Amino acid sequence: MQPRLRVSLLAPFPDLAAQALDYGVTGRALGNGLWRWRGFGLHDHADDPRRSIDARPAAGGPGMVLAAAPLDRALAAARHWHGAAPHVVLLSPDGAPLTQARVREFSDRRDLAFVAGRYEGVDQRWVDANVDAIVSLGDYVLSGGELAAAVVVDACVRLLPGALGDADSALSESFADAQTARLDWPQYALADASAPLPPELTQGDHAAVHRWRLKEALRRTWCRRPDLLARAALSSVERSLVDEIALEFKASHGQPRSDAAG
Ligand code: SAM
């Protein structure tokens, strides 16, 4: 079977990501041939006896910078492995924050080459010449991009057709709907009898279950991520559920939420 996605990682320690991806959905999909993976360790592409991949920053200052030459050789090897020009994605805290929309865009491609930095980051001339997209996992700093790359690859692989045991899971989960961008509804295990279930989930009324789930997903979004609802294109049913949620909040707290989205 032809893999749907080929992913390479250029990094000082690519095995860090390989190990993380060897489990669960991503590991199973790899075993099933849905996607292929190859790490290109930068030390293997150094050309000095010490296998050095870094250099001191121009004009001085703290730390070291990943040098261009090993990255050039690793990228040439990765292009050869892909057999086509991959979309080159650098992991960096100065990139655009990763979103599910971006993940969907990446997972629609066939060839992705991720570049993970270490130290103070990657030589800017190399970035300017070779990188198509720069992605950040959030406003914090990791010591290396390998685990960040594993996160992005995990999110991409689970969207590949056939990767999830039940394809419907991906339709209802958080951020799945690009228009609404709502969070998932609360999940309850049928087997766990430690406390009663919400009655709507126990009566076998599919319409009631659907309404309850939609409302609780909107309630969770309204409470925890009002920024998502503020820019969502809600249907009239969703809008009236949000109005109900706001009224319920006011009734139980004696006042509207001060930053209420609607
Ligand atoms: N000097 C950089 C700065 O202040 O923005 C931090 C470099 S960091 C110590 C080393 C590498 O970790 C980066 O080149 C990048 O690949 C990775 N990294 C760190 N934080 C990250 C984040 N939030 N998202 C994605 N990658 C990150």
Side-chain angles (χ1 to χ4, degrees):
M1 178 169 84
Q2 277 291 316
R4 199 9 216 86
L5 180 67
R6 291 183 295 225
V7 177
S8 58
L9 172 61
L10 288 55
F13 308 116
D15 287 354
L16 266 177
Q19 287 187 21
L21 293 164
D22 217 10
Y23 294 85
V25 169
T26 48
R28 213 168 31 247
L30 195 58
N32 293 341
L34 266 186
W35 69 292
R36 285 180 65 199
W37 156 267
R38 177 70 68 87
F40 293 88
L42 296 182
H43 293 96
D44 298 336
H45 295 276
D47 66 351
D48 66 330
R50 288 181 47 248
R51 303 172 79 213
S52 44
I53 59 173
D54 56 349
R56 285 209 292 276
M64 301 294 276
V65 178
L66 270 184
L71 281 162
D72 274 340
R73 286 188 282 271
L75 183 56
R79 284 200 178 113
H80 183 74
W81 177 75
H82 281 278
H87 192 65
V88 179
V89 181
L90 172 69
L91 283 309
S92 179
D94 56 28
L98 186 68
T99 60
Q100 189 69 7
R102 204 70 192 283
V103 168
R104 269 193 291 271
E105 189 192 309
F106 288 153
S107 74
D108 281 342
R109 293 181 179 272
R110 191 172 158 74
D111 288 281
L112 293 170
F114 290 95
V115 180
R118 285 255 153 189
Y119 321 120
E120 295 302 323
V122 177
D123 181 278
Q124 189 60 42
R125 291 162 296 183
W126 193 87
V127 175
D128 293 342
N130 295 288
V131 168
D132 298 309
I134 308 180
V135 166
S136 167
L137 283 204
D139 293 349
Y140 48 84
V141 177
L142 302 164
S143 41
E146 293 89 346
L147 294 176
V151 167
V152 183
V153 175
D154 180 308
C156 290
V157 167
R158 64 195 303 286
L159 292 185
L160 297 179
L164 295 178
D166 182 343
D168 283 354
S169 317
L171 299 179
S172 63
E173 63 194 6
S174 299
F175 315 114
D177 181 340
Q179 297 289 307
T180 313
R182 59 159 178 74
L183 303 178
D184 198 2
W185 52 73
Q187 302 284 348
Y188 293 88
L190 190 55
D192 187 347
S194 57
L197 289 168
E200 292 84 348
L201 302 184
T202 62
Q203 289 152 2
D205 178 341
H206 293 303
V209 169
H210 175 76
R211 186 179 191 281
W212 181 89
R213 285 182 166 163
L214 180 58
K215 184 170 177 182
E216 294 315 309
L218 290 167
R219 191 193 308 280
R220 192 173 258 191
T221 315
W222 189 82
C223 290
R224 298 183 190 173
R225 292 292 306 275
D227 58 304
L228 293 178
L229 280 191
R231 55 176 191 263
L234 297 180
S235 67
S236 56
V237 171
E238 290 166 336
R239 171 59 50 201
S240 66
L241 287 173
V242 169
D243 290 344
E244 271 179 36
I245 291 162
L247 285 173
E248 286 164 13
F249 181 96
K250 189 174 169 193
S252 65
H253 290 76
Q255 55 184 15
R257 198 183 65 194
S258 55
D259 63 337

